[in-house]
Amino acid sequence: MTAPHDPALTSPPVARRWAYGVYIGRFQPPHQAHLLVMLEALQHVGQLIVVIGSARAARNTKNPFTAAERQAVISEMLRDAGTAQERLRFVQVRDHLYNEGLWLSEVQEGVAQQTRGSRDVALIGHLKDESSYYLRSFPAWTFLPTHVVSPLNATDVRQAFFEDRLSEVAGMVPPAVHAFLAAFRETPEYRDLRTEYDYLREYRAAWARAPFPPVFVTADAAVTRSGHVLVVRRAGLPGRGQLALPGGFLSPGETLLHCAARRAYSETGLSEAVNLPAQRRAQAVFDAPGRSQRGRTVTHAFHFDLGTGPLPELHAAADAAEARWLPFSEALAHPEVFFEDHHAIIEHFLLRG
Ligand code: NAD
């Protein structure tokens, strides 16, 4: 692996300097190429604002580390590389998979808070593939493409990490990140993620011989009544312990509407005397390609609005550790407790008016 200061990988001096540089990433985890890009950027900007994406999401094997953990380890790796902490700023931004405008607005606002309105801002990044399309979405900032050329990517680091190829990991990440990863392996969070990783690997392997990559179809139920939404705590993998809307895979002989209602009754013990299909208020498709770690999964979500009045009794089924009516305020305020994109589904139905 190339050392972080390899001059062959850093850009030739750019005559101009910017007061601020913005570097957006997921950093799950930060690796040597991220460090090189940041060090290159610091040659051209006074302060570097690192925008840490995918914040406030439940841990999963694609997003194993919290934004706070990523921020701490990025600070440390840059300090080890000789960067004064005063030159660093951080902004943490949630994903908004179905609302690009909201995501852009949160990035703009987070950066503006750091720059206090300065227009002397450069955006650093690498248009590596379609996933970097967002770099074209900030015309107010001068785009400064990185000259770092490296095949490294965080997916490979996570794979090596979860598959115990630790010497490979050591070659891909700065020492501070390696130390963080080694300590993380001792935590209960790691044990849960590792169980989930192994489960998902087997799950995908079971489909590997299909002639085409499978596309799964699911249905979910957002049942609301008197300012509460019906949620279950998942008892099984993936997402064990996380909150979810009741829902599941479509059976061959049923409609999507029937599937959503069936799962809502069976997972929560909601009485079938409550006629969910008759109380359908809205429905929407949620199809972000990366929304599920099991594979490509398109879900059809239904909003069943049961109006006002007392909350019906619930009894969690075997595949749900708990079923409860969650106040809207709690559901909206805590994206980090929800499985996959279920928080975005709730936001869609509750906030769209
Ligand atoms: P990343 O950590 O993979 O990469 C960060 C930056 O480093 C990118 O510019 C990338 O091109 C560059 N980079 C990565 N590997 C490199 C290498 N080997 N050599 C040179 N440069 C390299 O992060 P990302 O996936 O690009 O992060 C974007 C973040 O923004 C994510 O959290 C994503 O979810 C979020 N996002 C959210 C929305 C939304 O919610 N609507 C939209 C766009 C982006």
Side-chain angles (χ1 to χ4, degrees):
M1 179 61 219
T2 317
H5 295 291
D6 187 336
L9 292 186
T10 52
S11 71
V14 173
R16 194 173 158 201
R17 271 181 75 84
W18 285 263
Y20 298 98
V22 175
Y23 183 43
I24 303 171
R26 209 154 53 83
F27 311 118
Q28 285 286 14
H31 52 59
Q32 292 280 20
H34 290 135
L35 174 58
L36 288 171
V37 176
M38 292 185 207
L39 293 176
E40 180 192 43
L42 283 158
Q43 295 175 18
H44 307 302
V45 304
Q47 290 198 319
L48 181 62
I49 302 166
V50 180
V51 177
I52 300 183
S54 308
R56 302 193 61 204
R59 290 185 202 267
N60 64 26
T61 54
K62 187 178 171 196
N63 282 306
F65 312 116
T66 65
E69 288 165 348
R70 287 174 279 156
Q71 176 168 328
V73 78
I74 290 171
S75 277
E76 217 174 309
M77 78 184 191
L78 282 165
R79 195 190 52 212
D80 291 352
T83 302
Q85 295 294 299
E86 309 84 76
R87 296 189 64 201
L88 286 182
R89 294 278 180 275
F90 290 94
V91 171
Q92 301 179 1
V93 179
R94 278 174 58 192
D95 284 344
H96 291 283
L97 292 183
Y98 305 100
N99 193 337
E100 189 75 5
L102 192 52
W103 181 76
L104 289 171
S105 155
E106 289 190 6
V107 175
Q108 289 166 349
E109 186 179 333
V111 169
Q113 275 175 11
Q114 301 298 333
T115 60
R116 279 171 266 127
S118 167
R119 300 169 74 100
D120 195 18
V121 180
L123 174 65
I124 293 93
H126 170 49
L127 285 160
K128 59 176 172 178
D129 52 34
E130 278 176 18
S131 73
S132 330
Y133 75 93
Y134 61 85
L135 289 171
R136 298 191 181 89
S137 300
F138 298 95
W141 304 333
T142 308
F143 182 55
L144 202 56
T146 176
H147 292 80
V148 172
V149 178
S150 154
L152 267 181
N153 66 75
T155 307
D156 290 347
V157 181
R158 289 194 304 277
Q159 254 176 31
F161 177 59
F162 285 120
E163 292 172 15
D164 299 327
R165 288 180 275 117
L166 299 184
S167 56
E168 267 180 61
V169 175
M172 296 191 276
V173 301
V177 180
H178 191 249
F180 163 74
L181 294 176
F184 189 79
R185 277 174 67 87
E186 305 305 320
T187 63
E189 287 80 8
Y190 172 78
R191 280 193 291 282
D192 291 348
L193 286 168
R194 176 56 189 267
T195 307
E196 183 156 304
Y197 185 88
D198 292 342
Y199 166 85
L200 289 168
R201 204 146 67 126
E202 274 184 37
Y203 192 95
R204 291 195 207 101
W207 290 94
R209 293 170 67 89
F212 301 102
V215 176
F216 304 111
V217 177
T218 57
D220 290 302
V223 183
T224 58
R225 181 165 169 88
S226 301
H228 291 69
V229 59
L230 183 54
V231 296
V232 294
R233 192 174 298 282
R234 291 176 62 82
L237 292 167
R240 184 183 285 155
Q242 295 168 6
L243 294 186
L245 296 170
F249 292 96
L250 184 71
S251 293
E254 68 182 348
T255 63
L256 290 159
L257 177 61
H258 179 264
C259 176
R262 170 177 65 80
R263 296 296 301 198
Y265 295 127
S266 70
E267 288 178 39
T268 71
L270 182 70
S271 163
E272 294 197 25
V274 177
N275 186 346
L276 288 177
Q279 323 239 25
R280 170 172 39 161
R281 178 165 167 190
Q283 71 189 76
V285 173
F286 295 86
D287 65 347
R291 62 180 293 280
S292 175
Q293 293 303 291
R294 284 176 287 207
R296 186 80 174 92
T297 308
V298 175
T299 202
H300 297 250
F302 293 83
H303 180 192
F304 302 113
D305 184 3
L306 307 186
T308 55
L311 299 171
E313 259 189 51
L314 305 170
H315 310 279
D319 55 353
E322 184 193 359
R324 62 180 284 218
W325 292 100
L326 191 67
F328 286 174
S329 59
E330 282 183 42
L332 290 173
H334 294 290
E336 67 280 0
V337 300
F338 280 95
F339 179 58
E340 294 185 343
D341 58 358
H342 289 206
H343 183 264
I345 298 175
I346 293 172
E347 277 188 329
H348 172 87
F349 289 130
L350 298 190
L351 301 182
R352 99 204 140 85

